Amino acid sequence: MAECVRTTLNPSHFLLHSTKTPTQNPFFSSISSFEAKPNARKYPKISLSVMSSQNQSQGQTQVPSLDALLNSGAKEEVFASIKASLYNCLSETNLQLTVPGLKSKTRGKVRDIYDSGDYLVLVTTDRQSAFDRILASIPFKGQVLNETSLWWFNRTRHMIPSAVLSVPDKNVTIAKKCSVFPVEFVVRGFVTGSTETSLWTVYKNGVRNYCGNVLPNGLVKNQKLTANILTPTTKAEDHDVPVTPDEIIERGLMTQDEFDEAREKALSLFEYGQRVALERGLILVDTKYEFGKSSDGSILLIDEVHTPDSSRYWISNSYEERFQNGLEPENIDKEFLRLWFRENCNPYEDKVLPDAPEELVCELAWRYIFLYETITKSRFEMQPMGEPIHDRISRNVSSALSSLQ
């Protein structure tokens, strides 16, 4: 059986040190379908929705106010399932011990990546990271991230190829390898954020030229930019470092042609994501993309796309009024958890962080599910408790790798 560890609500809060080499990370080359296809014994699926049946039946895409969502009856039903899973999160995996053909494991912030020779097995866990640390484990988060990314991969094939080969489990993607560019393409449409590299943080500290973007005086927090901007980062030992396009080329992280193509793709993907989000009553505020290069030289979109982890979302119908009144936007992402840690500790320097409150963990799980349903217009099917997740993942990954031989 797969040795996957389902741990407590708040795992150890340690600084993240990736074991990946910064210039030659293998990653994923062409997507077929975003839908998981477990090869297996059947367990009853639990289909719950954060949206009311009335809204679903009427096909509404306008998102109600956050207060209305917080007090909806549908939320109570989902919350009950979330609370029942608080101590059954997927926080760690060790598939290399049990699945034949897996050669090594790389532990990322959220994903555990296994090398199987020709392919990579990416397991999306429930780990919650921010400030380059693990803050908590969030029920169903890994499933939401994996399925949301695959939905977007499938719908952006007309813009850029991906590398997904198969989805044998709701938490797992199998992909071909490619050489990963050691640059994250962060695209922003608003002046906001609370981390050290966020646009609002650097702007309020007086920076007016950020990652090659000249910023005018007089901007205020949460203001929409006149045009979307790219603010790339690269990896230091344990944190992201802002970098200019010129520095990317000078350091040999990418060639000029590679950077120009990836930059164009990132901005186009962001504009497309903003349009889709707005049709669903949301604002895609900012996000990050990662790219790799396949053996034939083509640029591939990898990692994740427009997920609650990689992206910031606000509710659109209340944004303008709240902005004019100096209020924070209604957000459907992990920003409120980041803010809680900033208010209760120094998440960058404290060796030990406080446990995330249970109610905040449940709230974040609900918001992840809400975003999945709002974006995909699909009901979220929670994995049942009948079969241990380690057995399920091991069985499904083994079967999928065997079929690829």
Side-chain angles (χ1 to χ4, degrees):
M1 296 188 296
E3 191 170 328
C4 302
V5 182
R6 300 282 262 186
T7 65
T8 58
L9 182 64
N10 297 300
S12 301
H13 306 303
F14 52 86
L15 288 172
L16 295 171
H17 296 278
S18 175
T19 58
K20 300 182 283 186
T21 56
T23 57
Q24 289 297 323
N25 274 343
F27 237 77
F28 350 92
S29 155
S30 88
I31 184 169
S32 54
S33 171
F34 74 91
E35 190 172 350
K37 300 172 181 174
N39 186 20
R41 68 193 69 149
K42 301 291 185 180
Y43 286 84
K45 293 180 178 178
I46 304 172
S47 182
L48 295 176
S49 177
V50 302
M51 304 298 285
S52 70
S53 57
Q54 181 180 8
N55 279 357
Q56 288 185 338
S57 64
Q58 294 176 354
Q60 295 179 0
T61 58
Q62 183 63 51
V63 178
S65 71
L66 189 57
D67 285 342
L69 289 168
L70 294 177
N71 296 310
S72 68
K75 181 176 180 178
E76 295 180 4
E77 182 183 7
V78 177
F79 246 61
S81 294
I82 291 171
K83 287 183 177 180
S85 301
L86 276 173
Y87 298 93
N88 195 37
C89 292
L90 180 62
S91 300
E92 197 69 48
T93 70
N94 286 294
L95 296 180
Q96 79 280 11
L97 302 179
T98 55
V99 177
L102 294 186
K103 299 178 180 180
S104 63
K105 171 186 174 182
T106 299
R107 188 181 191 275
K109 293 179 181 179
V110 175
R111 289 167 184 80
D112 291 341
I113 304 171
Y114 296 91
D115 188 341
S116 69
D118 294 331
Y119 314 107
L120 293 178
V121 176
L122 296 91
V123 183
T124 308
T125 72
D126 297 328
R127 297 193 292 264
Q128 183 65 53
S129 71
F131 310 107
D132 297 304
R133 305 178 80 159
I134 300 299
L135 303 181
S137 291
I138 310 298
F140 306 110
K141 174 192 170 178
Q143 180 183 340
V144 168
L145 295 189
N146 198 50
E147 295 187 336
T148 301
S149 282
L150 292 164
W151 187 90
W152 282 107
F153 278 133
N154 202 35
R155 280 152 183 79
T156 55
R157 286 181 294 177
H158 64 290
M159 305 175 70
I160 184 172
S162 171
V164 179
L165 284 173
S166 68
V167 188
D169 185 273
K170 291 182 178 296
N171 286 72
V172 180
T173 295
I174 296 179
K176 286 186 177 180
K177 293 180 178 179
C178 72
S179 296
V180 174
F181 297 116
V183 176
E184 290 190 350
F185 284 70
V186 181
V187 185
R188 306 178 187 274
F190 293 76
V191 186
T192 193
S194 61
T195 65
E196 288 186 347
T197 59
S198 72
L199 190 55
W200 172 243
T201 300
V202 299
Y203 186 85
K204 73 177 180 179
N205 290 334
V207 174
R208 292 297 179 268
N209 191 320
Y210 189 50
C211 299
N213 300 284
V214 177
L215 303 171
N217 290 321
L219 298 179
V220 297
K221 189 180 183 185
N222 302 323
Q223 182 174 346
K224 181 175 173 57
L225 294 166
T226 56
N228 297 327
I229 63 172
L230 177 68
T231 60
T233 63
T234 189
K235 293 290 184 184
E237 182 180 0
D238 57 10
H239 61 282
D240 297 333
V241 178
V243 63
T244 67
D246 287 344
E247 289 171 333
I248 291 172
I249 308 307
E250 291 168 1
R251 296 181 190 179
L253 304 179
M254 303 177 77
T255 67
Q256 186 68 61
D257 287 344
E258 290 167 344
F259 175 79
D260 289 344
E261 181 177 350
R263 178 184 183 278
E264 186 275 328
K265 294 297 185 185
L267 291 171
S268 296
L269 286 165
F270 189 65
E271 290 172 3
Y272 175 73
Q274 286 183 313
R275 291 198 304 272
V276 173
L278 196 58
E279 291 170 357
R280 288 152 170 77
L282 300 171
I283 297 173
L284 177 59
V285 178
D286 50 41
T287 194
K288 63 95 176 171
Y289 305 101
E290 295 189 44
F291 299 95
K293 194 171 186 177
S294 67
S295 57
D296 65 5
S298 59
I299 303 294
L300 305 176
L301 179 62
I302 63 171
D303 195 47
E304 60 183 325
V305 189
H306 301 160
T307 69
D309 253 22
S310 66
S311 312
R312 195 187 318 267
Y313 286 95
W314 295 337
I315 291 181
S316 62
N317 62 9
S318 62
Y319 163 73
E320 188 61 37
E321 180 179 357
R322 295 180 70 86
F323 175 72
Q324 293 299 331
N325 291 327
L327 300 174
E328 286 295 306
E330 294 182 305
N331 67 82
I332 306 293
D333 52 40
K334 62 182 179 182
E335 182 68 11
F336 74 94
L337 187 63
R338 286 197 196 105
L339 292 174
W340 184 89
F341 275 95
R342 288 192 71 105
E343 292 168 359
N344 289 274
C345 64
N346 185 333
Y348 287 107
E349 297 181 6
D350 291 353
K351 291 185 177 180
V352 179
L353 302 183
D355 286 347
E358 182 176 302
E359 61 270 22
L360 293 189
V361 171
C362 290
E363 176 66 27
L364 186 54
W366 177 82
R367 292 186 183 208
Y368 274 76
I369 294 170
F370 165 78
L371 265 178
Y372 168 81
E373 291 197 345
T374 302
I375 290 168
T376 67
K377 297 186 178 180
S378 302
R379 292 177 68 89
F380 181 73
E381 293 183 346
M382 298 179 177
Q383 283 299 122
M385 303 288 284
E387 180 183 20
I389 190 171
H390 44 79
D391 294 354
R392 188 197 80 212
I393 291 178
S394 179
R395 171 171 46 78
N396 289 335
V397 170
S398 296
S399 176
L401 290 176
S402 295
S403 68
L404 290 172
Q405 299 300 322

